[in-house]
Amino acid sequence: MQSRLNELADRNAEYKKAIDIKHTLNTTDADGYQYGFVSAVGDKTTKKIIVTLNLYNPGESRDKQMAQAQLTDYAGNTYETYEYQFGSMDNAKPTTDRNTNFKFKFFFADVSVETKRIASLTVKAYSSTWGNSDMTFNFRDLPVEWK
């Protein structure tokens, strides 16, 4: 009986998070690039999740390169990837034009299909000026849609 109550309490917490519209799904890195969460879509067959983010460059045209992404679920499992894609360019270092949006994706493998939300997504990126050593940005409490 206690197990069932815990399961219902967990499900209730998931529903509350899903309807909480106060979550901020945008962040900025030390170079001034702005990021927005687009989606996290999982494939139940392959156990892969594709996290799509939007990058906006409000500054001068410059190169941008990602380094690594780490996803943590609410069960405490951590997944890491170095595989990302800007548009159709794999692991690229594109020039991001001023006042332009770019979509990019991170690919995570062997993710538990029980993962309904991402507790934390941390992305490490290389600085455009190479002067900023800490180029991480983070998102919290992101929904995952499994297909």
Side-chain angles (χ1 to χ4, degrees), residues 62-125:
R62 52 202 165 148
D63 293 343
K64 187 62 179 180
Q65 184 176 6
M66 299 298 139
Q68 168 200 18
Q70 181 176 302
L71 172 159
T72 305
D73 65 18
Y74 278 99
N77 300 310
T78 301
Y79 307 92
E80 183 178 80
T81 187
Y82 295 91
E83 185 182 356
Y84 69 92
Q85 189 176 58
F86 272 101
S88 64
M89 300 180 293
D90 291 333
N91 299 329
K93 183 181 174 184
T95 298
T96 57
D97 295 327
R98 180 184 180 103
N99 297 326
T100 303
N101 286 304
F102 291 86
K103 280 202 174 33
F104 64 101
K105 299 176 181 183
F106 286 98
F107 303 90
F108 293 91
D110 300 319
V111 179
S112 169
V113 295
E114 299 300 314
T115 302
K116 305 294 185 236
R117 299 187 77 78
I118 297 169
S120 176
L121 173 68
T122 301
V123 178
K124 293 180 183 176

